[in-house]
Amino acid sequence: MALTDTYTLSNGTKIPVVGFGTWQTPDGEIAYQAVLTALKDGYRHIDTAEGYGNEASVGRAIHDSGIKRDELFVTTKLDNSAHGYAETKQALGESLSKLGLQYVDLFLIHWPNPQAFRDNWEEKNAQTWKAMEEAYEEGLVKAIGVSNFRPKHLDALLKTAKITPMVNQIFLNPSDLQPSVVDYNDAHDILSEAYSPFGTGKIFQIDGLKEIAAKYHKSVPQLVLRWHLQHGFLPLPKSVHENYIQANTDIFDFEIAKEDMKTIDGFRGAFGLAEDPDTVPF
Ligand SMILES: NC(=O)c1ccc[n+]([C@@H]2O[C@H](COP(=O)([O-])OP(=O)(O)OC[C@H]3O[C@@H](n4cnc5c(N)ncnc54)[C@H](OP(=O)(O)O)[C@@H]3O)[C@@H](O)[C@H]2O)c1
């Protein structure tokens, strides 16, 4: 396996097995340099969102990298303020314009029930999804999916959807494997993308990981990224440091033994579980 290896989504679209995360990567020089570095180091999959406020810098780095568009996989997400049919179309147009792209490879509903639509999230998601299906049919997006959706949100969406989401991007790391969501995704041929693969840095609080990583002569982040791949997840590691960005690519020359996979699975709750999407204050 290598960074350029792919999973295949339910519609046949190929998606590189590791994506580069950009949440909390400030717009401007930091986001530009981080993404440019990642592309230089071989990442071919970039994960951004309207809500991260850095699409313009991400787009600039993509453009300046000189890498052919069809060799890249770019994801962006619909902002929580933009649920609805017309709003979704407008938001996608704005994201494409900021990114300077004709299409994105994957467009996700960022959140199932933002506070603003908590009374009518089901109806809003149905309208949003219709707009996303049309964007897919028009070729503005090569794949469509969701993020932070639990089975009940997906069940609701599937009542009116013509196309089943191809991806569900969720909080996944040794502190929470979200088995009920992953099982649902698997049963519906929805790829589980792992956001916060290092728990936004909290992974270093788990002492037991250091011992296991040392056994394989790897760092904790490298061990954890490998653990994600062996689970069939698609991790989205984020960093703004060149040495970390590069180190996080060195994960393809070892195999974690079954018993160590189990030990890592057993750290559930070590630094908390995924937030409940129905009650978050945003
Ligand atoms: N859909 C959603 O709702 C959602 C939510 C959260 C995240 N995401 C996506 O998932 C991506 C990743 O999640 P995340 O941003 O929460 O963070 P993460 O990838 O779990 O962890 C990032 C943290 O780990 C540090 N780090 C990375 N590699 C390291 C290494 N080799 N050694 C030491 N430290 C290292 C980073 O440091 P530095 O940054 O200082 O280099 C940063 O503090 C996001 O960027 C975003 O694209 C999506």
Side-chain angles (χ1 to χ4, degrees), residues 63-282:
H63 180 261
D64 290 355
S65 74
I67 297 167
K68 283 202 230 130
R69 178 66 186 91
D70 62 2
E71 290 172 12
L72 286 174
F73 193 101
V74 182
T75 299
T76 196
K77 312 184 192 88
L78 181 74
D79 193 59
N80 289 347
S81 62
H83 286 210
Y85 180 79
E87 293 86 343
T88 299
K89 293 211 160 179
Q90 187 177 337
L92 175 61
E94 286 168 9
S95 281
L96 289 173
S97 160
K98 279 187 231 161
L99 284 161
L101 297 175
Q102 303 291 317
Y103 67 89
V104 284
D105 298 277
L106 177 62
F107 191 43
L108 303 177
I109 303 182
H110 206 147
W111 203 263
N113 53 355
Q115 216 169 24
F117 305 116
R118 207 150 276 169
D119 292 339
N120 58 346
W121 62 267
E122 197 165 337
E123 184 194 339
K124 279 289 180 187
N125 283 344
Q127 295 164 356
T128 298
W129 194 248
K130 187 171 189 299
M132 288 175 63
E133 289 175 330
E134 288 179 9
Y136 174 67
E137 276 150 17
E138 286 162 27
L140 295 173
V141 302
K142 301 290 181 196
I144 48 178
V146 297
S147 180
N148 295 294
F149 274 50
R150 298 253 166 111
K152 80 166 202 189
H153 307 115
L154 283 159
D155 279 339
L157 192 78
L158 291 177
K159 282 188 205 158
T160 53
K162 284 195 289 175
I163 301 172
T164 299
M166 292 143 200
V167 164
N168 189 8
Q169 184 180 122
I170 56 173
F171 179 88
L172 276 178
N173 54 56
S175 192
D176 195 353
L177 275 143
Q178 299 214 58
S180 63
V181 186
V182 169
D183 287 351
Y184 186 103
N185 291 347
D186 289 346
H188 291 82
D189 204 2
I190 298 170
L191 179 73
S192 297
E193 287 192 348
Y195 81 61
S196 301
F198 308 142
T200 321
K202 294 199 184 88
I203 205 80
F204 301 103
Q205 295 172 12
I206 306 179
D207 280 334
L209 287 175
K210 287 180 201 145
E211 263 170 54
I212 303 173
K215 239 170 90 173
Y216 296 96
H217 307 289
K218 291 288 172 181
S219 67
V220 167
Q222 288 165 339
L223 175 81
V224 169
L225 289 175
R226 182 76 211 177
W227 171 89
H228 280 286
L229 293 179
Q230 288 185 215
H231 268 298
F233 305 151
L234 191 157
L236 303 165
K238 173 261 179 186
S239 174
V240 294
H241 291 98
E242 191 164 0
N243 53 338
Y244 294 168
I245 294 170
Q246 191 171 32
N248 293 345
T249 69
D250 186 12
I251 55 173
F252 298 104
D253 60 351
F254 73 114
E255 181 84 19
I256 304 172
K258 260 195 189 140
E259 60 272 23
D260 290 329
M261 288 293 289
K262 267 203 174 147
T263 307
I264 302 171
D265 292 353
F267 290 119
R268 184 164 196 276
F271 53 78
L273 302 175
E275 290 182 293
D276 180 348
D278 291 328
T279 58
V280 293
F282 53 80

